[in-house]
Amino acid sequence: MHNVRAEHPFHLLIKPIGPLCNLDCEYCFYLEKEQMFGDKHSFRMTQATLERLTQQYIEAQPAGAQEVNFAWQGGEPTLMGVAFFQQAIDLQRRFGREGMRITNSIQTNGTLLNDEWGAFLKENDFLVGISIDGPEDLHDHYRKTKKGEGSFQQVLAGLGILQKFGIDYNVLCVINRVNAEHPLEVYGALKALGAEHIQFIPIVEYSADPAPRLIPQTIPEQAVPVSLTFQIDAADIPKVPGAAGVSDRSVLPAQFGDFLLAIFNEWRQADIGRVFVQQFENLLATLMGRGPGICVHAPVCGRSLVLEHDGGLYSCDHFVDPQYSLGNISQHALADMVESPQQRKFGTDKFTTLNSECKSCPYLKLCYGGCPAHRLPRVSPKGDTSADASAQTHNYLCEGYKRFFGQASRPLISLIAR
Ligand code: SF4
Ligand code: SF4
């Protein structure tokens, strides 16, 4: 006896070309996944897998579900070409359920977009997420081509296609230790490019280096309008052994909070109702009692899973790892894997493994400990990790969250009261 339908709504991020990408962004956690699948592996999703996933994803939606969203990600999903996505649309029409709306979104670096893509995305009403890390100098610091050159100009051309065809888009901006020092330049550049919907994604990269280096600044000085003389307090960098350290690209906790706050203060003066920043909208919704819109600040997660190019299902985008494999849609029903004890535990662990600091935190109901992928082991002053590792992990970004929730909540509450 297996489940044809899941009990509750769930969402899939679909990776039709696995980790392959035409760019070589230095911080991309996903590129290293190439090694997980082996040298000779083909990363292109086959027609059979596409068909199976389309049928199962639609079928597996709970009874009464009115919408299902296909979210295409990579790597760089546009490497699959327009014809692949036309097949996907045809299959969605074939397997669509009476009364159910089917939508598509795609996350792209934008560099391969052309008129053919523009016409296709518009005609099929795709919502596009495009990655831009700020103005050219800051964007190009990490987001590079395979030749090691900056990708900003190519991204700009792709953005031009979206604008030319009137395609709905949002900007995904990765916050790293370099651009985090320039919040208003980043925000101003995104607004100048026409962005109205923005998501800021903090980088937290584990590093095997036990003492992550301070930022060696390599941006040419004339390229950066604001002084780069910021000091990184070594005490801000967790001194944890082995893989529990973070890379020198990772945003610092307080730096992330200050970044959000600087933009928040600008936004509330000038942009409320004109620019939608996911973190601000999420906090506002939570304060209004509508619950968090993002899994990171929900008490329980695990309803946003990843379907790899080969049909393999994983617990979450941050956990595409053999340990979090739930099986393959060629062998198991999607709904069974989504509702499996393993996946339910993955979701509830987010809350049950919170440590005592989170449980007694004044911001618990706004934060819920953040994303488990950002929890690092705690260390004693002597440098030993705790014996009870799960209870002693703590969100690396905590200090930033405290700053942001502590200072942004009150102005938002007065906004609600108006
Ligand atoms: S692990 Fe993090 S990103 Fe994944 S579903 Fe949970 S909160 Fe969201
Ligand atoms: S702000 Fe820090 S202590 Fe509070 S719930 Fe979030 S991670 Fe835990």
Side-chain angles (χ1 to χ4, degrees), residues 357-358 361 364 367 369 394-395 398 401-402:
E357 183 176 338
C358 286
C361 172
L364 176 65
C367 179
H394 193 63
N395 195 303
C398 174
Y401 287 142
K402 283 182 173 164

Side-chain angles (χ1 to χ4, degrees), residues 88 246 256 324 390 396:
V246 296
F256 181 57
Y324 295 94
S390 71
Y396 168 78

Side-chain angles (χ1 to χ4, degrees), residues 29 31 47 88 130 159 267 290 336 344 372 379 408:
F29 74 97
L31 287 171
Q47 165 80 22
I130 185 165
L159 181 66
W267 172 83
R290 294 196 200 130
D336 276 342
R344 289 190 178 193
V379 287

Side-chain angles (χ1 to χ4, degrees), residues 295-297 301-304 315-319 346 350 370-373:
C295 55
V296 168
H297 296 308
C301 68
R303 303 305 289 185
S304 184
S315 292
C316 163
D317 200 17
H318 287 295
F319 292 91
F346 175 86
K350 183 177 190 295
C371 174

Side-chain angles (χ1 to χ4, degrees), residues 259-338:
F259 176 90
L260 289 179
L261 278 171
I263 295 176
F264 176 79
N265 287 327
E266 170 96 354
W267 172 83
R268 74 187 173 104
Q269 299 301 328
D271 296 328
I272 292 177
R274 292 196 314 121
V275 179
F276 299 87
V277 178
Q278 189 192 47
Q279 278 88 350
F280 308 162
E281 301 298 323
N282 183 72
L283 179 56
L284 185 63
T286 307
L287 292 168
M288 290 174 83
R290 294 196 200 130
I294 52 178
C295 55
V296 168
H297 296 308
V300 168
C301 68
R303 303 305 289 185
S304 184
L305 302 91
V306 164
L307 194 93
E308 268 292 351
H309 60 291
D310 61 356
L313 186 72
Y314 294 85
S315 292
C316 163
D317 200 17
H318 287 295
F319 292 91
V320 177
D321 184 272
Q323 196 188 337
Y324 295 94
S325 163
L326 296 159
N328 191 295
I329 52 169
S330 64
Q331 286 151 1
H332 305 282
L334 181 58
D336 276 342
M337 295 188 281
V338 170

Side-chain angles (χ1 to χ4, degrees), residues 26-27 133 135-144 150 176 178-179 215-220 249:
E26 287 180 31
Y27 54 57
D133 286 0
E136 184 162 9
D137 45 9
L138 294 175
H139 174 96
D140 284 348
H141 191 71
Y142 290 125
R143 296 192 68 85
K144 296 197 191 296
N176 54 64
V178 175
N179 66 359
I215 273 187
Q217 280 300 347
T218 53
I219 306 180
R249 295 180 287 244

